[in-house]
Amino acid sequence: VQLVESGGGLVQAGGSLRLSCATSGFTIADYNIGWFRQAPGKEREMVSCINVYEGRTAYADSVKGRFTISNDNAKNTVYLQLNNLKPGDTAVYYCAADIMTLCRRTPDYWGPGTQVTVSS
C-alpha cells in the first residue's frame, strides 16, 4: 500500500491549490481516505475525509466552505481542492487510508506529506 501526495507549494492568501493523493496497492473504494495537516508546533489534525463506496465526506469546521474533497476512481486518486487559503492553513498536508473508520486519527497508512505555505 502506498500513498503519495503532490500539489503543495507557496501561495498568497486568498489563492488556491489542488492536492493529489495517488494511491497504489489498494482500491480507494475499499478504504476511508483522509487528509490531515500538521503545522509547526501543533498536533496533526483532520482536514477532510471521504468514503468513496458510501459517498460520505467530512470536513473540519475550519475548512468548511473552502476545501473540497473528491476522487477519481479510474486514477485511484483522491484530491483536496483548497480555496481562499489563509496563512493559518500553512502546514504539511498528509493523505492517509484506513480500512475501518472514516476520519480515524490513527489510520492504517500514511503518505509522506506535501508542504503548503500561505503568505499574507
Side-chain angles (χ1 to χ4, degrees):
V1 172
Q2 280 195 318
L3 304 96
V4 179
E5 305 91 340
S6 62
L10 173 64
V11 63
Q12 289 188 332
S16 298
L17 288 172
R18 188 177 79 156
L19 306 183
S20 299
C21 174
T23 72
S24 60
F26 70 100
T27 301
I28 59 173
D30 293 337
Y31 277 74
N32 298 282
I33 308 298
W35 284 97
F36 297 76
R37 67 185 181 186
Q38 187 167 20
K42 295 187 177 181
E43 291 187 356
R44 192 174 296 187
E45 62 176 354
M46 185 277 290
V47 177
S48 182
C49 308
I50 186 168
N51 181 299
V52 172
Y53 181 77
E54 298 177 355
R56 289 192 293 150
T57 60
Y59 294 92
D61 287 343
S62 59
V63 306
K64 281 181 181 177
R66 300 189 298 124
F67 293 6
T68 304
I69 194 168
S70 62
N71 61 283
D72 184 330
N73 289 349
K75 296 182 178 180
N76 222 31
T77 298
V78 174
Y79 303 97
L80 187 67
Q81 179 68 39
L82 289 62
N83 294 332
N84 191 20
L85 281 160
K86 305 175 181 180
D89 295 317
T90 295
V92 178
Y93 283 70
Y94 298 91
C95 178
D98 191 85
I99 189 67
M100 290 295 294
T101 307
L102 188 67
C103 302
R104 185 180 178 186
R105 293 175 61 88
T106 56
D108 298 325
Y109 304 101
W110 290 98
T114 186
Q115 176 72 46
V116 171
T117 304
V118 184
S119 63
S120 57

